Amino acid sequence: MKNKPIPAQIEFRDVTKIYGQVAAVRNLSLTVGRGEFLTILGPSGCGKTTTLMLLAGFEAPNRGDILIAGKSVAAVPSYRRDQGIIFQSYALFPHLTVRRNLEFPLEMRGMRAAERAKRVDRILERVHLDDFGGRLPSQLSGGQQQRVALARALIADPPILLLDEPLGALDRNLREQMQGEIKGLHKEFGITTVCVTHDQEEALTLSDRIIVMRAGRIEQTDTPEALYDRPATRFVASFLGEANILENPGFNVETDAAQPSGTVAMLRPERIWVAAPAAPKRADANNRQSVSGTVDDMIYAGPLRKYHVRVGSSLLVVREPVASGQQIFRPGDEVRLDWLRSDLRFVTV
Ligand SMILES: Nc1ncnc2c1ncn2[C@@H]1O[C@H](COP(=O)(O)OP(=O)(O)O)[C@@H](O)[C@H]1O
Ligand SMILES: [Mg+2]
């Protein structure tokens, strides 16, 4: 069965936000479908937080309009927008217990005490903090505080959840655990989610769709896999993962089709095989380019090894998963690199 198009829950129409001389967000148009998990990804200062602040109603656009469920929210104050929010700076109330922190949004909505208590119990259980209701935020670890923040954002069943770098402060293991948690909650509640982050891994693992932003504008929008596999621009290719940009590489780059003008060839490091010069060649001979090079550097990174290999005037990055019985190369070793021409991508400069 084909998916029906999801009705847009959130829409930005040509939105611009200017701070003094800086256009933090420029002519931004985007839609988020009901139940979709959209991530806005980009480097620091590209306008991610501003976009979220506009959506939350903490800032107003200079031009353009924002619609939620088809209606302009220009005149709707932030506390009426019915959104759960986790901002980096949107900390828990330090003087209130976990329970009181969670009750607060419900109290604001005029919910009765008995119903509030029931909801708090339920969400505490859901984020595995049943025994922590009586603690103050300062008596919790960073990860536990983050889970309370998540619980507080979700407790009033908002149709929209906004996350600003929600996992930035956590160490790697906790981050992965929380990613799983957020993903699970999103699936369970089907809540329309807009997340902003500069962390590509977070974006790739969590999102239905990613918008890559650069200097206040959208650079590319796509599913995680399409974005990684078919980046449209050099910026996206290099921001999302590692990219070998073959611009004047000092050797002939073989291509099947003519290279579109204004583009450069790009090859992902994991698409290159490294082998001893005389080793049998891999893969389809009709679709293969082989070049000779010299290992400049080898970096061991647990499950994979990264080689820097000098070919012509280029230093190519090659990633090889560590496997039993494979040959390991050292700086100075002569090697042959093979790749498939069909793995080359052309990205605009
Ligand atoms: N309140 C503000 N006053 C002036 N400039 C701001 C303000 N908020 C953000 N900016 C500027 O707008 C740009 C985008 O900022 P921001 O949206 O916070 O980026 P990001 O979240 O992607 O790091 C930056 O150049 C930043 O300095
Ligand atoms: Mg930010």
Side-chain angles (χ1 to χ4, degrees), residues 19 22 24 43-50:
Y19 293 114
V22 184
S44 177
C46 74
K48 304 181 297 293
T49 294
T50 304

Side-chain angles (χ1 to χ4, degrees), residues 17-20 22-25 42-53 59 88 164-165 196 213 216:
K17 175 67 188 175
I18 297 165
Y19 293 114
V22 184
V25 168
S44 177
C46 74
K48 304 181 297 293
T49 294
T50 304
T51 304
L52 222 54
M53 299 287 264
E59 297 284 358
Q88 259 176 324
D164 189 351
E165 313 261 1
V196 314
M213 231 175 138

Side-chain angles (χ1 to χ4, degrees), residues 225-238:
E225 200 166 337
L227 205 60
Y228 184 78
D229 188 43
R230 304 213 161 256
T233 68
R234 185 182 182 145
F235 177 82
V236 173
S238 306

Side-chain angles (χ1 to χ4, degrees), residues 186-324:
H186 176 254
K187 217 165 154 186
E188 192 176 322
F189 292 93
I191 185 169
T192 306
T193 306
V194 181
C195 176
V196 314
T197 183
H198 68 275
D199 185 320
Q200 43 165 301
E201 197 184 303
E202 207 165 295
L204 287 172
T205 49
L206 287 176
S207 321
D208 295 317
R209 223 158 34 105
I210 300 174
I211 287 178
V212 178
M213 231 175 138
R214 177 191 191 184
R217 293 178 195 279
I218 293 178
E219 182 92 356
Q220 190 178 352
T221 306
D222 230 320
T223 61
E225 200 166 337
L227 205 60
Y228 184 78
D229 188 43
R230 304 213 161 256
T233 68
R234 185 182 182 145
F235 177 82
V236 173
S238 306
F239 191 74
L240 199 66
E242 236 176 330
N244 290 298
I245 303 286
L246 305 176
E247 189 179 31
N248 307 319
F251 63 90
N252 178 39
V253 178
E254 299 167 9
T255 58
D256 289 330
Q259 181 169 338
S261 69
T263 67
V264 288
M266 187 281 291
L267 190 60
R268 293 289 188 195
E270 66 275 16
R271 299 285 180 176
I272 304 176
W273 287 291
V274 57
K281 293 189 178 178
R282 301 218 217 180
D284 181 3
N286 296 321
N287 181 15
R288 181 179 59 212
Q289 176 162 18
S290 297
V291 296
S292 307
T294 311
V295 174
D296 193 79
D297 200 8
M298 187 274 281
I299 299 149
Y300 174 73
L304 61 87
R305 242 180 270 279
K306 214 157 94 170
Y307 291 103
H308 291 160
V309 180
R310 187 158 297 284
V311 182
S313 55
S314 301
L315 205 51
L316 299 185
V317 183
V318 181
R319 261 170 200 258
E320 183 173 62
V322 169
S324 305

